[in-house]
Amino acid sequence: MANEYKSGFVAIVGRPNVGKSTFMNSVIGQKIAIMSDKAQTTRNKIQGVLTEEDAQLIFIDTPGIHKPKHRLGDFMVKIAEDTLNEVDAVLFMINADEGYGRGDQYILDRLQQIKRPVFLIINKIDLIHPEEVFALIEQYKDKYNFAEIIPISALQGNNVNHMLDVLKKYIPEGPQYYPEDQITDHPERFIISELIREKALQLTREEVPHSIAVVMENIEKHESDAVYIQATIITERKTQKGIIIGKQGSMLKNIGKDARKDIESLLGSKVYLDLWVKVQKDWRNRQSQLRELGFRSDEY
């Protein structure tokens, strides 16, 4: 008798900046989660769908679990913790280069509450010596009863396929939830706004903190098949607005140029991107503004 089809939901948790979004994009084969070397880049659950002949895995890249510092932080942590009780398996990802930290213990304490198989995924093994990987495994295996411990490099693809094969053994039999050509459940406008936010974070580096958001104002498809997109970058202070605009508009122009390339790749069409910048003071602590920016009031 042929093996039954398997399908399941898999949460990816871990401290900020351990490589969750890089892993998601690597597995799915297309950019759906934004990547930045700034911590706390992912704000919403992003579902990436991997469909293979024998299984469909739906990955949920949660915001990094951390001790929140503002209302938006509360919202992000609540999303991550609620997700753990809704899935079939949990990937707890750590950064091999950083090793064990207090933030990891904070997450491990929360994982004790769930009744799902938890995998320890040691990411970025390309950055350390193999002997150090063994030392990390020894250190972590006493801290939690992990179903499996698997070292990988999401960036280079090392051991990722093996990890997927092991994961499938723990996933229940089930239907194919999504069509095989669908890679995410997020609407395109959400992904477009995230790509713009990614470029703003990457290009402004340390000058602009995570207090920026992107609002999609308008998307129109013209007869020529070109797509016209108007979006507004929200900042908390005038000084941040000035940095994002740059001298004679140079920074905003570069953000738009880099974002447009990724958006054109996503849509397969020529894109005209019109970016604006607006100040909304202290938006991360205001419920009305969080609602406007897509964060539902029952979640923060």
Side-chain angles (χ1 to χ4, degrees):
M1 185 177 157
N3 289 336
E4 292 293 330
Y5 196 82
K6 290 190 161 192
S7 59
F9 293 78
V10 182
I12 312 170
V13 299
R15 276 193 288 167
N17 224 18
V18 295
K20 298 188 295 292
S21 296
T22 306
F23 169 80
M24 176 83 86
N25 294 334
S26 168
V27 167
I28 304 305
Q30 190 170 329
K31 191 168 190 176
I32 56 169
I34 77 170
M35 294 183 289
S36 163
D37 56 5
K38 289 187 176 186
Q40 277 312 111
T41 308
T42 304
R43 284 200 187 137
N44 299 70
K45 290 188 292 188
I46 295 182
Q47 289 196 177
V49 184
L50 175 66
T51 304
E52 297 188 333
E53 281 185 19
D54 58 345
Q56 186 173 74
L57 301 175
I58 299 102
F59 291 97
I60 302 170
D61 176 15
T62 62
I65 296 178
H66 61 293
K67 289 186 178 173
K69 295 176 182 166
H70 41 65
R71 198 181 280 274
L72 176 61
D74 290 334
F75 167 81
M76 291 160 72
V77 172
K78 186 173 187 303
I79 281 182
E81 293 183 354
D82 287 351
T83 299
L84 301 182
N85 292 309
E86 300 167 358
V87 297
D88 299 294
V90 176
L91 305 183
F92 171 41
M93 189 171 288
I94 65 165
N95 181 345
D97 196 33
E98 289 181 359
Y100 176 76
R102 277 196 321 186
D104 289 325
Q105 193 57 53
Y106 184 83
I107 296 168
L108 286 167
D109 290 344
R110 273 143 190 79
L111 291 177
Q112 300 289 354
Q113 315 301 319
I114 68 163
K115 297 176 175 65
R116 300 286 187 273
V118 177
F119 296 73
L120 176 66
I121 307 299
I122 304 174
N123 191 21
K124 306 189 185 183
I125 57 169
D126 50 300
L127 300 179
I128 66 171
H129 191 277
E131 286 180 9
E132 294 177 80
V133 176
F134 292 118
L136 270 177
I137 291 171
E138 285 300 313
Q139 184 180 21
Y140 273 88
K141 75 177 186 183
D142 295 330
K143 297 186 183 298
Y144 188 90
N145 185 24
F146 293 105
E148 305 276 354
I149 298 178
I150 307 173
I152 67 164
S153 168
L155 191 62
Q156 297 188 354
N158 300 354
N159 222 26
V160 172
N161 286 336
H162 167 69
M163 191 222 79
L164 293 172
D165 288 340
V166 173
L167 180 58
K168 284 178 200 172
K169 295 175 185 174
Y170 290 81
I171 296 299
E173 291 175 4
Q176 184 177 309
Y177 292 103
Y178 295 95
E180 58 189 59
D181 59 348
Q182 185 171 344
I183 59 165
T184 182
D185 73 336
H186 271 298
E188 284 175 342
R189 37 189 317 131
F190 171 82
I191 299 174
I192 291 167
S193 71
E194 287 288 89
L195 291 173
I196 295 167
R197 191 164 68 93
E198 173 188 56
K199 301 311 174 191
L201 289 171
Q202 285 177 345
L203 290 171
T204 56
R205 309 290 304 174
E206 298 305 315
E207 296 177 278
V208 174
H210 270 269
S211 52
I212 64 169
V214 175
V215 176
M216 302 300 296
E217 307 285 2
N218 189 29
I219 299 181
E220 289 177 10
K221 193 156 191 174
H222 291 182
E223 287 178 11
S224 62
D225 269 353
V227 180
Y228 172 78
I229 297 170
Q230 187 178 12
T232 302
I233 299 172
I234 307 293
T235 70
E236 285 192 319
R237 293 196 290 276
K238 280 185 180 177
T239 50
Q240 294 166 357
K241 178 180 177 179
I243 291 166
I244 286 173
I245 292 172
K247 196 171 181 181
Q248 297 177 320
S250 58
M251 178 60 77
L252 192 61
K253 187 176 178 182
N254 287 336
I255 292 169
K257 185 178 73 175
D258 286 2
R260 185 171 49 78
K261 287 178 190 169
D262 276 0
I263 296 166
E264 286 182 340
S265 173
L266 175 74
L267 301 180
S269 304
K270 186 167 179 59
V271 168
Y272 295 95
L273 182 58
D274 185 15
L275 290 181
W276 296 79
V277 187
K278 190 161 88 174
V279 177
Q280 288 189 2
K281 195 175 177 188
D282 200 29
W283 68 264
R284 288 182 295 176
N285 277 315
R286 296 189 180 191
Q287 287 196 15
S288 61
Q289 291 185 346
L290 285 170
R291 262 198 304 276
E292 277 178 36
L293 296 169
F295 301 106
R296 295 207 313 271
S297 59
D298 61 342
E299 292 183 305
Y300 53 78

